[in-house]
Amino acid sequence: APAEDLFRWSPLQAITARRTIREFGEGKVPREVLLESAAAALTAPVPHGSRHRTRPWMWMLLERGPPRRRLLGAMAAAWRRDLATDGQSESTIARRVARSDALLGEAPVLAVPFLSLGAADRYPDPRRQEAERDMFLLATGAGVQNFMLALHAQGFASCWISSRLFCKEEAAEAVGLSPEWLAMGTVACGAFPPGEPPPRPALDPSAHVRFL
C-alpha cells in the first residue's frame, strides 16, 4: 500500500500505533520532516516559574559526518570505561558496544535532545532543588515523545536510546556544546523497514490506573 495510506490515522491512532523500531529501511529522513518533528517537540509543556518561561532544549540532528563519529566514539569510550569498572570481560564489553553500534551507527539520523538547567530556580534545600530538576526532566521527556510521535505521523520510524544519559559531558563536548547542556538520550530515526511490525500486545490500562 502507498505510504500515505499506511499513515492515515486519527490523532489517537497516531499515538497508540507508534512503535519502537530498531532496524530501519532504506532511504534518508528528509530535513523538513526532522524540522517538523523538532517543532512538535517545542510544543511540549515547559516549566513555569519566576525565571523559567523558556524552552530549555537544543536538538542536535546528526546525519553522517565527523560530529556523529565523534559522538559515537565518545559514547563508546565512556561505556567501555564504565563496563570495565563493573568488572565486565573484554568479550562482553566488545559484544555490547558492537550491538549498540549496529543501531546507532546505521540509523540515518541521530537526534540528540540536550537540556539546560540554566533557567531553573535555585532553592536552599535539596528537596525543592530536586523537584525543580525533575520538572525540567519531565518537560524534556514530553518533548522527546512529541518528536517521536511527529516522526511517526509523517511516516518515519524511531527508537529512543538512553545511553547518552550515562555520558552527558562527553556528548556535549563531542557536538560543540558547553557542559551545561545535558544529553537526554538519543532518538535514532529512519524509514520503516519492509513488512508489517509484529502486533503490539494488548495493553490493559486498568492495571495502571486508579480512579479516586
Side-chain angles (χ1 to χ4, degrees):
E4 58 269 22
D5 292 336
L6 292 176
F7 300 101
R8 283 177 179 165
W9 293 308
S10 71
L12 184 58
Q13 287 173 323
I15 294 171
T16 58
R18 188 204 65 80
R19 304 294 299 276
T20 293
I21 303 297
R22 293 181 173 85
E23 294 183 4
F24 300 105
E26 297 293 331
K28 297 182 177 181
V29 182
R31 289 192 169 187
E32 56 267 27
V33 168
L34 295 168
L35 288 173
E36 286 285 354
S37 301
L42 295 177
T43 68
V46 294
H48 288 283
S50 59
R51 301 176 60 228
H52 301 160
R53 299 183 181 86
T54 184
R55 289 176 170 79
W57 306 305
M58 178 71 70
W59 282 83
M60 305 299 284
L61 305 176
L62 293 97
E63 298 167 314
R64 308 287 182 179
R68 176 163 161 168
R69 289 194 293 270
R70 285 197 305 270
L71 181 68
L72 293 178
M75 188 202 80
W79 198 16
R80 283 182 172 276
R81 180 193 63 219
D82 290 343
L83 291 173
T85 300
D86 293 340
Q88 298 289 329
S89 68
E90 179 55 37
S91 61
T92 299
I93 293 173
R95 184 173 63 254
R96 295 183 67 177
V97 170
R99 187 167 60 239
S100 174
D101 286 345
L103 172 56
L104 296 174
E106 295 302 322
V109 177
L110 299 181
V112 186
F114 284 84
L115 164 67
S116 170
L117 297 173
D121 287 334
R122 302 290 183 261
Y123 293 97
D125 57 284
R127 176 182 60 82
R128 286 187 291 172
Q129 198 61 57
E130 181 181 10
E132 180 77 1
R133 179 185 174 91
D134 288 348
M135 180 165 55
F136 276 72
L137 293 175
L138 287 167
T140 303
V144 171
Q145 179 78 344
N146 277 9
F147 184 89
M148 297 173 72
L149 288 173
L151 277 175
H152 183 70
Q154 296 175 88
F156 288 87
S158 65
C159 175
W160 181 74
I161 304 120
S162 62
S163 49
R164 291 294 175 276
L165 295 167
F166 294 89
C167 53
K168 297 183 182 71
E169 292 182 4
E170 293 89 344
E173 182 180 4
V175 298
L177 293 176
S178 63
E180 76 167 282
W181 290 99
L182 309 175
M184 296 285 104
T186 304
V187 180
C189 315
F192 276 95
E196 292 290 327
R200 183 192 294 276
L203 301 175
D204 180 10
S206 66
H208 304 276
V209 175
R210 292 184 181 181
F211 289 97
L212 301 177

